[in-house]
Amino acid sequence: MDQWLDALVDPTTGRPHLGNAIFYRAGFTGRVDFREATFTGVALFFETTFNVVTPSLTT
């Protein structure tokens, strides 16, 4: 996913730029970070799953 977002970087802002994005039955595993991305169109997530494995915290 990082490589895909890197390919969409707007050279003027240095951030990924997406127009319309439709994620239909997409499955993401691991870290997926859209925080720096700009969506200037419609962003739809239909039946999309995000599976993130986080380390357990022990005290």
Side-chain angles (χ1 to χ4, degrees):
M1 190 70 187
D2 288 338
Q3 291 176 342
W4 181 71
L5 288 174
D6 288 345
L8 299 173
V9 168
D10 180 339
T12 59
T13 64
R15 297 169 56 176
H17 178 251
L18 297 88
N20 293 324
I22 300 172
F23 297 95
Y24 180 70
R25 291 189 178 176
F28 298 103
T29 58
R31 183 183 148 279
V32 180
D33 190 351
F34 289 107
R35 287 180 295 179
E36 295 295 318
T38 300
F39 292 86
T40 55
V42 176
L44 302 173
F45 295 84
F46 291 108
E47 298 180 25
T48 302
T49 58
F50 294 85
N51 298 307
V52 179
V53 178
T54 57
S56 61
L57 301 175
T58 58
T59 54

